[in-house]
Amino acid sequence: MSIADTHVLRAVLWDVDGTMAETERDAHRVAFNLAFERFALPHRWSVEHYGELLAVAGGRERLLHDMAAWPDAPPGLAEREALARAVHTEKSRQYVELLRADGLPLRPGVLALIEECRARGVQMAITTTTSRDSLEALLRHPLGARWRDTFAAVLCGEDVQRKKPDPEVYREAPARLGVAPEACVALEDSPAGLAAALGARVVVVITRSVYFPTVEMPGAAAVGPGLHTRRGWSPPLPDAPSPTHDAAGVGLDDLAAWCGLRPPR
Ligand code: XBP
Ligand code: MG
């Protein structure tokens, strides 16, 4: 890897839930509640309680964590883990069904940036905690059945030993792409995702999501409302639209500038 390579933006690493699409409140949470119903469990996760539970990455791990407060949870850890695994499998099935019926749109600005990466030869990877089946169900609608061709690497919850905030997924993605971590930018929405990327020496741009609208994101190169607008970012973007990108949105040149990298040619 030449030194010059590490000074040019070479790859965009995409978080999924909350970043590519607003999946948590109206899809993952709803799927968990449908699974609780299917298992005749008297629990339902409110929008607020689920937001608190998002401090735990990984749906199965989140469920196991909440079970510790359930008076009716199985007493033994092995039984509890077995129940969490069974309910999470049902949850994932429900989530796939929910998305198969209606699909969920990508957040505004996401597709335009994906297209710009494609047009300018910037590699992309997925770096998500969600499961492979859930990812497939989400992306096949907006990106088509061959959505995987868009990404040079796809890393899901099954592909790591330790989920975010552990940096494992953000160490693995640049390695899979053959790109220095310093030449990548991670697009994230959560404190766990921020910590994971920073832990792997990957620069992070935060697009605020429904569940993390105001939380501090120390160490992020930039924080803003979403890729669809050039307004409301810190550091601010020049009003003049990037010449190579949809006038209203955040483009590769903006990401490169925030990361202190040269834009791709
Ligand atoms: C967010 C997560 C995932 C989802 C639920 O993933 O922590 O666990 O909340 O999906 P991301 P699963 O890293 O994309 O923000 O139930 O499949 O884990
Ligand atoms: Mg996320």
Side-chain angles (χ1 to χ4, degrees), residues 115-249:
E115 294 302 340
E116 187 185 6
C117 288
R118 277 180 174 145
R120 296 177 68 179
V122 172
Q123 292 191 89
M124 291 180 279
I126 295 266
T127 48
T128 181
T129 307
T130 197
S131 58
R132 213 167 286 138
D133 289 351
S134 295
L135 181 67
E136 161 78 24
L138 175 68
L139 296 186
R140 67 176 301 111
H141 279 269
L143 297 180
R146 298 180 56 128
W147 64 271
R148 286 193 66 102
D149 298 349
T150 301
F151 304 97
V154 174
L155 291 165
C156 300
E158 296 95 330
D159 299 310
V160 292
Q161 296 298 314
R162 295 171 305 283
K163 293 180 180 178
K164 301 173 187 176
D166 187 282
E168 183 182 346
V169 70
Y170 281 111
R171 289 199 176 108
E172 183 61 21
R176 294 274 186 95
L177 300 182
V179 174
E182 296 79 4
C184 300
V185 60
L187 299 176
E188 270 283 355
D189 74 303
S190 69
L194 173 67
L198 293 179
R201 301 197 326 279
V202 173
V203 179
V204 189
V205 168
I206 295 287
T207 58
R208 291 245 179 246
S209 60
V210 163
Y211 270 118
F212 302 105
T214 57
V215 65
E216 285 298 309
M217 298 282 185
V223 181
L227 296 172
H228 62 292
T229 179
R230 303 178 65 74
R231 301 191 185 293
W233 283 89
S234 172
L237 281 175
D239 267 347
S242 149
T244 59
H245 186 67
D246 168 277

Side-chain angles (χ1 to χ4, degrees), residues 43-127:
H43 302 280
R44 299 294 179 270
W45 282 346
S46 67
V47 171
E48 186 184 2
H49 184 53
Y50 188 68
E52 293 158 6
L53 292 174
L54 280 176
V56 180
R60 183 173 52 76
E61 296 80 350
R62 188 171 304 143
L63 180 53
L64 202 54
H65 167 82
D66 200 40
M67 277 181 175
W70 293 6
D72 57 342
L77 183 56
E79 284 172 275
R80 203 174 292 188
E81 283 178 339
L83 179 60
R85 198 173 299 279
V87 172
H88 187 255
T89 300
E90 174 61 17
K91 173 264 173 182
S92 298
R93 196 187 65 76
Q94 294 282 354
Y95 181 81
V96 168
E97 278 312 302
L98 278 173
L99 294 191
R100 180 169 293 137
D102 310 330
L104 200 65
L106 296 181
R107 287 185 63 179
V110 168
L111 205 48
L113 183 60
I114 287 176
E115 294 302 340
E116 187 185 6
C117 288
R118 277 180 174 145
R120 296 177 68 179
V122 172
Q123 292 191 89
M124 291 180 279
I126 295 266
T127 48

